[in-house]
Amino acid sequence: MANLPLSINDKYLYNRILLALRESLDDELGPSSQDRLFLISEPPENVDADLSYPLVREIRQMKRGIEDYTKELSRKLTEASGVKIDATYTSGYLNLKFNRVEFAKKFFEEFFRDLDNYGGGQAVKKLNIVVEHTSANPLHPLHIGHARNSCLGDTISRLLKFYGTNIERRFYIDDMGRQMALLIYGILKLNEDGDWKRFLNEEKIDHRIGEIYAATNILVEINELKKKIKSASEDDYQALIAQQDELVAESARIRDRSPEIFDVLAEKIMKDEDPEKEISQLSLRYEQHDENVVKIFREVIELVIGGFKETLGKLGIEFDKWDYESDLVWSGLVDEILRKARESQVFTIYKGAEALSYETILNDSLKEKLFIPKEMDIPPLILKRSDGTTLYTTRDIAYSIKKFKEFNADYVINVIAKEQTLPQAQLRLALYSLGYREYAERLIHYSYEMVNLPGYKMSGRRGRFVSLDELIEMSENAAKQELLKRKGQVAEDVEQVYKAVGRSAVRYSLVSISSEKPLVLKLNDVINFEKNTAPYVQYTYARAFSLLAKAGSYERPTEFDIIEKDDQTYKLIRSLSKFPWVIHKSTTELKPELIVAYLGDISQKFNSWYDNVPVLGEKDERYRALKIATVNAVKSIIGSALNIVGVVTLEKM
C-alpha cells in the first residue's frame, strides 16, 4: 500500500526534535534506504532517556568520534527545539534526555496556543484528496463487511481533514451489471399488477429489498438447474440433483423470512423459459438509457440508498458526492475511454473481446512505480463483452479520471477489499497506458481484509449475512446491559448514552487493528471497560471532563520547576507532546490504528496518574495549576483523537 509523501511540520516541539535528529544523522552518516525518522523511539522504562536511536549498525559510517558527535548533536537539538537536550551513546543506542522543566513549559505554550486543534493543521502543502469508500451495490442492506470499509474510509477522511488537507468523500453507486438487473427482474415480477410496493412492510426498506433480491436470485438458480437436469447425462444427473436439493433447502430458509414475496416470485419465475435472457436484456436496456427501464431502476436504487444513509448516519458517516455508475456511461466518458483504448499500443482482442494487454510495457520498474507486487501476474483487462455491455473495470477507468478532474485532486484513495488487488492494479495500468500517468501514480488502493462474527456464514446473494443495522443494535444492547450492571440503576439519559457507547464501540473496533489483517468481532471484547475499547476511552474522557468541571476556573501554569522530581506527571506530559507526531505518522502511512493505539496508551497513563497523583487536593497552587493544565491537555487530545476515529465524546458515563 502506498504512503502519502507528506513533509513533517516543525510547528510542534516533538516534531522539531525528531527533524533535527534526523537531519544530524543524515549529515553524519550519509543517505539511508530507510527514513531514519521512523527508527527513533522511546526507550524502555529502565533507561534514563526520552528518545533513542539504534546507532550500533551505522556507527562505522560516522565521520568523527562519538564524543565529538554527541556534543555537537546536543547543541543542535537544543538550538532547534528551544529545550536543553543532552545526547549520549550507550550500549549501541544514541540516547536523548530532555530538560524536564523547559520541555513542559514549551509543550504547554504550544498546547494553549492551539487548544482543541493541538496536533492538527500540520499539512505543509494544502493537498486535495478524494476518499471513495463503502460503494456497496444497492441490492440489500449494508453488512459487517461494508462496515469495516465505511469506518476505515470515514476515519481516514477525518484524519486527513484534521491534518489539514481538503477532503472530498465519494460513494460510487454500482447500479449496472447482472446483479442489479437480477433485482429489477424480481421487482418487475412483483410489479405485474402495477404496484410492487405493496410487498413492502414496516421492515427497513433496504432490508426488505434485500429479501426480494435473495429470493429472486435463488429461484433463478433453481430454474436454470431444472433445465440442466432435464438434459443431463447419467454421469451428471446425481450431482445436479444433489445441487438442486441444496438450493431447495436454502430457498426454504429464504421463504420463511418473507413467504408472500417468495411465493409470488416462485410462481412467475419458474414459468419463465429463459430468465437469464430477460436479465441480460434489462442490463443492456439500462446501459442504453431506455427510459422505462431507467425509471424502475432508479426508483429502487434510491430507496436502497435511503436505507444506506440512515444506517451510516448512526455511525456519523456522511458523503459529499454520490456518483452513479450509469451516469458515467450515459455521459459519454466510457465511450471516450474505449476510443482511447482502441488507439493505445496495448489494445488487443482477447478471447474475442476488446481488451488491454500490458505485456509490452510491464516490467519491475513500472510495477514498483504503480505499487504492484512484483510477483503478481497481470492478465489482459477486458473492456467490453460480446453483448455490447462494458465491464465495471472499464467504467472504473472513467470514474478515476472523473474523481481526479472534478476535485482537482492530488491523490485519490479507493477503500476497497484486498480481493480487489488485481483489478485495482489493472486499473492503474490502464490509466498509465492511456496517458494518465500522474493519475496512475497517485491512485491509492487502501485495501482491507474481511471482518466476521464468530458463528456466522456470510452470503449477500443468499441473504445470509449480519447487517450493519443488526450489528449496531447488538452492540447497543450489550452496552446497555454493561452500563446498567455498572450503574445499578437506569439514568434519565441512559438510552442516549448506551447508543453512543454501542455505536462508538463498533467504529472503534473496526479500525483498531491494521486493515491488512482479518478481523473477528467479539461483542464481549468490543464492549469492555477494562481494555483499549471505545467505552474505556470514552470513560477516560468523561473522567477528565468531570475533574475539570470540579476544578472550576483555573489559571495557566507559569512555574514548572516542581516537575523535575515528578516522574509520573512528566512522562504523561511527554506522551501528550507526542500527539502531533502520531497524527503525522498515521496520516503519512494511512494507519488509523496508530491513533487507536495512542488513545489506549494515553488513557492508561492518565488513569494510572489520576489514581496516584492528587490533583484537586493539591495545596501548592503552582503545582495544582500544572496538574489541572495536564488534565486539560488529556481531555483535549483524547477528544481530538476520538473525533478522528468517529467516537462520540461523553461528559458523563
Side-chain angles (χ1 to χ4, degrees):
M1 192 185 300
N3 287 356
L4 290 173
L6 304 173
S7 300
I8 185 171
N9 197 313
D10 65 358
K11 69 183 281 192
Y12 291 109
L13 173 60
Y14 200 93
N15 288 0
R16 288 198 301 277
I17 294 170
L18 295 180
L19 276 171
L21 176 56
R22 179 181 66 178
E23 181 182 355
S24 174
L25 288 167
D26 288 349
D27 287 346
E28 184 68 24
L29 303 171
S32 172
S33 59
Q34 183 177 6
D35 189 343
R36 292 187 173 97
L37 202 64
F38 297 97
L39 297 177
I40 304 167
S41 63
E42 293 180 9
E45 287 290 327
N46 62 340
V47 176
D48 187 20
D50 295 287
L51 285 176
S52 291
Y53 179 83
L55 186 59
V56 65
R57 293 183 180 180
E58 300 177 276
I59 197 164
R60 292 183 180 179
Q61 299 169 222
M62 296 190 68
K63 301 170 185 175
R64 64 187 120 171
I66 189 65
E67 289 187 11
D68 288 343
Y69 175 68
T70 53
K71 183 178 180 180
E72 176 66 12
L73 177 61
S74 298
R75 185 190 67 78
K76 284 186 175 181
L77 293 176
T78 299
E79 183 180 299
S81 66
V83 172
K84 188 177 186 307
I85 299 176
D86 292 321
T88 57
Y89 180 71
T90 308
S91 302
Y93 282 85
L94 186 65
N95 292 320
L96 307 183
K97 187 172 182 180
F98 309 152
N99 179 287
R100 292 184 172 191
V101 174
E102 293 177 3
F103 187 90
K105 182 179 180 182
K106 184 66 68 175
F107 163 73
F108 280 109
E109 284 176 4
E110 294 179 354
F111 169 72
F112 281 108
R113 176 193 69 199
D114 292 353
L115 288 174
D116 290 340
N117 198 47
Y118 178 77
Q122 293 190 54
V124 175
K125 180 184 177 184
K126 199 81 168 178
L127 298 175
N128 296 331
I129 300 179
V130 172
V131 181
E132 184 219 324
H133 68 87
T134 307
S135 299
N137 295 348
L139 303 166
H140 47 62
L142 299 172
H143 55 63
I144 62 172
H146 300 126
R148 193 175 197 189
N149 186 314
S150 301
C151 292
L152 285 169
D154 188 64
T155 300
I156 289 168
S157 300
R158 289 168 180 254
L159 176 60
L160 288 165
K161 185 175 181 180
F162 184 74
Y163 189 77
T165 63
N166 297 317
I167 290 298
E168 184 176 68
R169 302 157 299 177
R170 301 183 87 133
F171 188 114
Y172 185 51
I173 303 172
D174 186 358
D175 60 331
M176 303 190 80
R178 182 186 180 277
Q179 285 182 299
M180 196 68 228
L182 183 139
L183 170 61
I184 301 304
Y185 167 80
I187 295 286
L188 290 173
K189 293 300 179 188
L190 298 176
N191 200 46
E192 288 186 358
D193 295 327
D195 185 17
W196 70 273
K197 290 182 182 177
R198 71 186 185 278
F199 291 99
L200 302 180
N201 54 21
E202 297 301 315
E203 189 178 2
K204 192 163 171 280
I205 200 161
D206 51 333
H207 288 251
R208 192 65 168 170
I209 290 174
E211 291 171 5
I212 296 173
Y213 171 71
T216 304
N217 181 77
I218 201 158
L219 286 166
V220 167
E221 285 191 44
I222 291 172
N223 182 305
E224 184 68 22
L225 193 60
K226 283 185 177 296
K227 287 187 289 186
K228 288 182 180 178
I229 290 172
K230 284 182 181 179
S231 59
S233 66
E234 289 186 17
D235 291 340
D236 295 335
Y237 183 80
Q238 290 303 325
L240 290 172
I241 289 295
Q243 189 178 344
Q244 178 181 254
D245 291 344
E246 182 182 336
L247 288 177
V248 169
E250 187 72 15
S251 68
R253 182 188 62 81
I254 294 172
R255 184 187 182 280
D256 285 344
R257 287 214 311 258
S258 46
E260 66 285 5
I261 288 174
F262 189 91
D263 290 345
V264 173
L265 287 173
E267 180 186 354
K268 295 182 178 179
I269 291 174
M270 298 314 292
K271 291 179 181 178
D272 270 4
E273 291 186 8
D274 195 350
E276 285 298 340
K277 183 178 179 181
E278 285 192 46
I279 292 165
S280 179
Q281 288 176 343
L282 279 171
S283 181
L284 183 60
R285 288 172 65 192
Y286 187 58
E287 185 162 338
Q288 293 174 343
H289 203 273
D290 181 312
E291 289 187 5
N292 292 326
V293 172
V294 168
K295 183 179 179 182
I296 186 67
F297 265 75
R298 285 299 178 95
E299 180 183 26
V300 174
I301 291 164
E302 286 172 13
L303 289 171
V304 177
I305 293 299
F308 287 1
K309 290 179 179 179
E310 182 183 338
T311 301
L312 294 170
K314 297 175 185 177
L315 299 178
I317 298 172
E318 297 178 341
F319 290 88
D320 302 302
K321 292 282 182 71
W322 295 77
D323 300 309
Y324 278 85
E325 183 181 16
S326 51
D327 285 340
L328 286 170
V329 176
W330 302 337
S331 70
L333 285 174
V334 175
D335 286 339
E336 177 65 14
I337 291 301
L338 287 169
R339 184 189 64 77
K340 286 192 173 186
R342 290 169 186 140
E343 296 171 356
S344 167
Q345 64 173 351
V346 298
F347 180 75
T348 189
I349 300 297
Y350 179 72
K351 294 184 178 179
E354 296 179 66
L356 298 178
S357 177
Y358 307 113
E359 289 180 355
T360 57
I361 65 167
L362 199 56
N363 53 46
D364 287 350
S365 175
L366 182 56
K367 281 186 172 182
E368 183 177 357
K369 184 181 289 188
L370 300 184
F371 307 101
I372 298 171
K374 286 186 177 181
E375 67 279 4
M376 179 178 282
D377 292 325
I378 310 291
L381 173 64
I382 296 176
L383 300 170
K384 202 170 187 179
R385 297 184 186 90
S386 57
D387 66 2
T389 56
T390 52
L391 273 77
Y392 76 92
T393 43
T394 315
R395 301 189 286 269
D396 277 349
I397 300 169
Y399 186 45
S400 297
I401 295 167
K402 176 184 174 75
K403 287 183 284 189
F404 272 105
K405 285 188 174 180
E406 287 190 351
F407 196 56
N408 190 26
D410 296 287
Y411 292 92
V412 169
I413 300 172
N414 292 339
V415 183
I416 304 178
K418 189 175 182 179
E419 62 192 24
Q420 292 295 312
T421 298
L422 174 57
Q424 286 291 301
Q426 289 177 309
L427 171 59
R428 293 194 295 279
L429 280 166
L431 289 168
Y432 187 88
S433 304
L434 301 183
Y436 301 97
R437 296 192 172 188
E438 190 171 337
Y439 292 174
E441 294 171 17
R442 293 180 172 229
L443 179 65
I444 297 173
H445 174 204
Y446 185 91
S447 68
Y448 66 95
E449 284 281 6
M450 293 295 101
V451 57
N452 289 294
L453 281 175
Y456 289 88
K457 188 177 181 181
M458 308 294 175
S459 173
R461 64 193 184 95
R462 293 277 192 264
R464 188 174 61 238
F465 53 78
V466 177
S467 72
L468 180 50
D469 290 311
E470 290 172 301
L471 177 62
I472 291 170
E473 185 179 0
M474 285 189 285
S475 186
E476 288 175 351
N477 289 336
K480 182 178 182 179
Q481 295 305 313
E482 183 63 27
L483 286 166
L484 291 176
K485 183 172 68 177
R486 294 170 68 86
K487 293 290 184 181
Q489 58 183 0
V490 180
E492 290 182 7
D493 59 351
V494 69
E495 182 174 350
Q496 179 183 346
V497 172
Y498 79 68
K499 283 187 175 181
V501 172
R503 295 173 183 185
S504 294
V506 169
R507 283 203 59 143
Y508 198 84
S509 61
L510 288 170
V511 300
S512 62
I513 68 169
S514 170
S515 64
E516 297 174 350
K517 297 179 180 178
L519 177 63
V520 177
L521 274 183
K522 298 179 180 178
L523 286 179
N524 288 339
D525 292 336
V526 170
I527 304 295
N528 189 315
F529 283 75
E530 310 302 329
K531 296 182 178 181
N532 182 15
T533 60
Y536 175 68
V537 182
Q538 285 174 306
Y539 171 75
T540 304
Y541 177 90
R543 199 177 198 188
F545 187 94
S546 175
L547 198 154
L548 288 173
K550 290 176 182 176
S553 60
Y554 48 86
E555 301 292 330
R556 291 188 186 182
T558 56
E559 297 184 38
F560 300 88
D561 291 352
I562 195 73
I563 205 172
E564 189 65 54
K565 296 180 180 179
D566 185 348
D567 281 351
Q568 205 164 357
T569 301
Y570 169 69
K571 287 179 179 178
L572 179 56
I573 291 170
R574 187 183 67 189
S575 294
L576 292 167
S577 75
K578 190 180 178 181
F579 184 58
W581 165 244
V582 174
I583 291 294
H584 173 80
K585 194 169 188 293
S586 301
T587 307
T588 301
E589 298 181 1
L590 296 174
K591 290 184 175 179
E593 67 269 21
L594 299 180
I595 303 288
V596 174
Y598 178 81
L599 275 167
D601 179 66
I602 210 72
S603 296
Q604 186 275 324
K605 286 177 178 174
F606 170 71
N607 287 321
S608 176
W609 177 82
Y610 179 89
D611 292 338
N612 292 288
V613 176
V615 179
L616 298 181
E618 177 58 57
K619 295 180 181 179
D620 186 327
E621 288 300 319
R622 299 169 305 160
Y623 199 9
R624 186 175 187 271
L626 175 59
K627 290 178 177 179
I628 292 175
T630 302
V631 177
N632 194 1
V634 168
K635 180 193 77 74
S636 177
I637 288 171
I638 287 180
S640 293
L642 285 177
N643 184 61
I644 290 168
V645 182
V647 169
V648 178
T649 53
L650 296 170
E651 297 175 3
K652 293 180 180 179
M653 275 187 75

